[in-house]
């Protein structure tokens, strides 16, 4: 849909300003780019981690990818530090967790931005989760990649101690 809109932008701009001289051609292309970039940025809006979202597992529990079944706490979706129920979709053959198992997980990286107290915002390139048991203790013994310090407020201190880099 975005590609069709971009092509329509270029066709409309060309048909409207095609008869004008070369002096306005640079202005026309920049205005077309602005309109099309605004439309494309609206299409890539980040959202909550909701049902059927596939997340990357960033610990050594044996799972590679999980799919969110349900975010806990009854919200419309999960954010950083929230606990979810997930199903393992891909797993290492000799891991603690096998494919098809239903597990709990804590969201440690989310593509949706979250505001901090100092006015800055944090967001990541991917959605990632650390698998935990029902008591909230991590299944794996290592956590890979950056982990935000907001997990401390959500009482996931054990995950922060296992993490190599705290963002």
């Amino acid at each position: 849909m975005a590609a069709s809109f971009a092509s329509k932008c270029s066709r409309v701009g060309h048909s409207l300003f095609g008869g004008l001289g070369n002096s306005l051609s640079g202005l026309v292309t920049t205005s077309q780019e602005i309109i099309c970039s605004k439309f494309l940025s609206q299409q890539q809006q980040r959202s909550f981690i909701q049902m059927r979202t596939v997340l990357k597992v960033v610990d050594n529990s044996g799972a590679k990818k999980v799919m969110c079944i349900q975010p806990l706490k009854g919200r419309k979706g999960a954010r950083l530090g929230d606990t979810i129920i997930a199903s393992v979709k891909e797993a290492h053959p000799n891991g603690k967790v096998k494919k098809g198992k239903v597990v709990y997980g804590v969201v440690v990286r989310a593509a949706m931005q979250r505001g901090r107290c100092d006015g800055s915002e944090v967001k990541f390139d991917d959605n990632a989760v650390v698998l935990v048991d029902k008591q909230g203790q991590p299944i794996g013994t290592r956590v890979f990649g950056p982990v935000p310090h907001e997990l401390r407020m959500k009482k996931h201190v054990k995950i922060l101690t296992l993490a190599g880099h705290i963002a």
Side-chain angles (χ1 to χ4, degrees):
M1 180 173 167
S4 66
F5 181 75
S7 65
K8 285 180 185 175
C9 283
S10 63
R11 274 187 272 150
V12 168
H14 183 66
S15 65
L16 287 177
F17 300 107
L20 296 177
N22 289 336
S23 62
L24 293 178
S25 63
L27 178 66
V28 171
T29 56
T30 56
S31 65
Q32 289 174 355
E33 291 171 1
I34 292 170
I35 292 170
C36 294
S37 66
K38 284 182 182 179
F39 178 77
L40 293 175
S41 66
Q42 290 172 355
Q43 289 292 336
Q44 297 173 350
Q45 196 76 320
R46 307 292 180 152
S47 64
F48 289 100
I49 294 169
Q50 55 193 355
M51 211 176 346
R52 298 185 60 86
T53 301
V54 177
L55 299 105
K56 181 179 174 183
V57 179
V58 292
D59 61 5
N60 62 347
S61 61
K64 293 180 187 176
K65 292 191 178 200
V66 296
M67 184 174 70
C68 179
I69 295 174
Q70 178 183 6
L72 296 180
K73 304 288 189 209
R75 294 190 196 129
K76 65 179 180 179
R79 297 181 78 175
L80 281 176
D82 289 344
T83 305
I84 62 169
I85 300 173
S87 171
V88 178
K89 290 299 175 186
E90 292 180 24
H92 291 287
N94 298 327
K96 297 176 188 174
V97 180
K98 302 297 180 197
K99 181 179 176 182
K101 186 176 179 185
V102 176
V103 292
Y104 287 87
V106 174
V107 178
V108 294
R109 292 200 295 261
M112 183 178 180
Q113 62 189 13
R114 179 182 171 108
R116 288 186 168 169
C117 296
D118 60 354
S120 64
E121 292 179 341
V122 61
K123 72 177 177 180
F124 296 94
D125 292 335
D126 60 348
N127 295 320
V129 68
V130 171
L131 300 185
V132 295
D133 57 8
K134 287 188 177 184
Q135 289 77 31
Q137 299 301 316
I139 295 174
T141 57
R142 294 176 66 195
V143 176
F144 307 111
V147 174
H149 66 82
E150 281 87 2
L151 295 178
R152 190 177 307 277
M153 291 181 286
K154 300 269 187 163
K155 309 293 188 230
H156 298 295
V157 181
K158 181 71 175 175
I159 296 173
L160 285 173
T161 59
L162 296 175
H165 184 277
I166 298 173

